Amino acid sequence: MNQPSVRSGYTLPVFACASAIAALRHLQSPLQSPSSATVDLLDPAELADIPIEQVATLPDGAALAITRSDPGDNLDLTRHTPVWAVVRWAEPSQPRIQIQGGEGVGQIDGADPAIYTYARRLLQTNLERLLPADRAIQVTVILPEGKALALRTSNAAFGVVDGLSLLGTTGIAQPLSAPGQLEAFRSEIQEKAKTLDTLVFCLGENGLDLALQQGIRPECRVKTANWLGPLLVEAALQGITGILLFGYHGKLIKLAGGIFHTHHHVADGRQEILAAVCAEVGLPTERIQQMLTSETTEAGLELLREWGKAARVYGAIATRIDQRTQQYIRKHCDHSPQIGTILFDRRRQIIVKSANSEALLAHVC
């Protein structure tokens, strides 16, 4: 039976940009209420026509436009969430395009708005083309449901509070959690296995970006999303001899407990795994209990750092991940590649590298 095709959508920055374009057009011509906005995605180099739900002039003369997020065939909690942009004229002496986060846009460590590089570049480039040379504007992105939705994400683990982030390196939202996407991931591994013997598995954008900063060659990276189990087996079947697991500790710690599909809808148990490893290395009962009741693995890591036990506990976790991963692959394949693990925290700082990872880095850097 043929695998049903999956539909890609667009990332949140694209909808914020579309709203801003429509608001600016309305600000320039109040009698016009555009029903769509064309966004140059920049990456990839293509145009996207985004429906505009509402446009209005506000009492202070600013313009408001609203779109609604469509991430495609993906288990994305931002589906259908409204994305607002308010655009108002600014003093010509100010920067031509000022971008700020309003209600529902998270703050990074409680300070700067969580509007990342791609989102800013997208807004700047698209709006610059529509803005007269002698004018300046202030753009405020608002996610009315952002605070409530953020409570269901891991944003806080990465230092983003009080809302969602406009994150992404591309305008296309690939349906990473849709079952059909697994086949695309497998195909990518099959292609890479023709020329490479060692791969670096990254769950998401943070891992992909940080891997480059660590000197890892771009072509060695594979984005896995939450499909780690089947992709590990696929790599082994394709003759890959080494796999470096590179990811956020709050996700990869699940592998230490034998959980190889990391989406929270499937399984969790992170604090329980952390507490079990603390017991394994001999921490006192009261501290094990603190790990078990810690709000997040990030909070547990901070406690371990306070106690001077982070290196010991996370060294054991990384070793467990290596071992459990090899055991998992051997259940499904005659041989297992060498497995190494590198874990980073919410500040994107490396916590630990397993002993195996050092040897694998030599193949991929």
Side-chain angles (χ1 to χ4, degrees):
M1 178 180 289
N2 292 330
Q3 206 41 256
S5 60
V6 292
R7 182 178 65 89
S8 61
Y10 300 105
T11 56
L12 272 182
V14 174
F15 296 98
C17 186
S19 291
I21 290 170
L24 177 56
R25 287 168 58 191
H26 187 67
L27 189 67
Q28 293 170 321
S29 302
L31 297 180
Q32 294 185 13
S33 296
S35 59
S36 67
T38 300
V39 180
D40 182 347
L41 300 181
L42 306 180
D43 185 9
E46 59 184 66
L47 302 178
D49 288 320
I50 306 298
I52 302 299
E53 197 165 277
Q54 293 179 317
V55 182
T57 300
L58 300 181
D60 65 355
L64 164 69
I66 301 173
T67 59
R68 207 166 278 271
S69 172
D70 178 7
D73 293 338
N74 206 347
L75 296 176
D76 193 313
L77 58 81
T78 67
R79 180 182 308 282
H80 302 319
T81 193
V83 183
W84 298 10
V86 175
V87 177
R88 53 175 47 88
W89 297 118
E91 293 296 325
S93 59
Q94 300 293 317
R96 276 173 55 75
I97 301 173
Q98 306 166 47
I99 301 169
Q100 57 188 35
E103 180 74 14
V105 174
Q107 294 181 320
I108 303 170
D109 291 324
D112 298 324
I115 304 175
Y116 291 89
T117 302
Y118 172 72
R120 290 185 177 276
R121 187 163 65 95
L122 194 68
L123 285 159
Q124 292 277 357
T125 302
N126 280 274
L127 295 175
E128 181 77 33
R129 296 168 181 168
L130 302 174
L131 192 60
D134 61 342
R135 302 304 298 264
I137 54 172
Q138 180 188 82
V139 181
T140 303
V141 178
I142 299 170
L143 302 173
E145 299 173 355
K147 280 189 178 181
L149 291 174
L151 297 175
R152 297 161 55 193
T153 73
S154 58
N155 279 7
F158 286 95
V160 177
V161 297
D162 291 334
L164 298 173
S165 47
L166 296 184
L167 178 64
T169 57
T170 176
I172 302 295
Q174 297 292 349
L176 301 180
S177 53
Q181 184 62 28
L182 178 57
E183 295 308 311
F185 286 145
R186 281 182 168 144
S187 296
E188 181 183 4
I189 288 175
Q190 291 162 12
E191 282 300 309
K192 288 182 181 289
K194 294 176 181 178
T195 56
L196 299 168
D197 58 13
T198 305
L199 298 176
V200 181
F201 278 17
C202 305
L203 275 75
E205 295 294 331
N206 279 293
L208 290 170
D209 182 59
L210 189 55
L212 290 180
Q213 294 180 32
Q214 295 293 311
I216 291 170
R217 301 197 311 274
E219 67 272 18
C220 295
R221 303 171 305 158
V222 175
K223 186 173 182 178
T224 66
N226 290 300
W227 301 103
L228 276 168
L231 295 180
L232 286 162
V233 174
E234 183 65 39
L237 292 172
Q238 295 302 319
I240 293 296
T241 59
I243 299 173
L244 181 61
L245 301 168
F246 191 103
Y248 176 59
H249 73 109
K251 276 281 194 178
L252 284 185
I253 194 173
K254 293 184 179 182
L255 276 62
I259 299 170
F260 284 88
H261 191 302
T262 56
H263 199 289
H264 65 274
H265 288 310
V266 176
D268 200 334
R270 289 170 289 183
Q271 281 86 337
E272 289 83 354
I273 295 167
L274 183 56
V277 177
C278 287
E280 179 188 18
V281 301
L283 265 62
T285 300
E286 63 271 17
R287 291 190 169 177
I288 295 169
Q289 290 171 337
Q290 284 182 268
M291 288 297 104
L292 194 57
T293 58
S294 60
E295 187 175 352
T296 63
T297 48
E298 194 70 37
L301 171 61
E302 292 306 314
L303 283 174
L304 290 170
R305 284 171 167 161
E306 289 178 19
W307 303 334
K309 301 296 184 181
R312 185 177 178 189
V313 171
Y314 271 84
I317 288 171
T319 298
R320 267 178 162 264
I321 291 172
D322 289 356
Q323 294 170 347
R324 293 298 293 267
T325 301
Q326 288 192 311
Q327 292 167 8
Y328 177 87
I329 295 172
R330 289 195 188 105
K331 290 180 182 178
H332 304 278
C333 187
D334 291 337
H335 74 282
S336 174
Q338 183 180 18
I339 304 296
T341 300
I342 298 179
L343 303 175
F344 59 83
D345 63 14
R346 75 176 180 87
R347 298 182 183 88
R348 309 207 321 170
Q349 300 297 313
I350 302 298
I351 304 169
V352 68
K353 297 178 181 179
S354 71
N356 288 349
S357 71
E358 297 290 354
L360 292 174
L361 280 170
H363 291 273
V364 297
C365 288

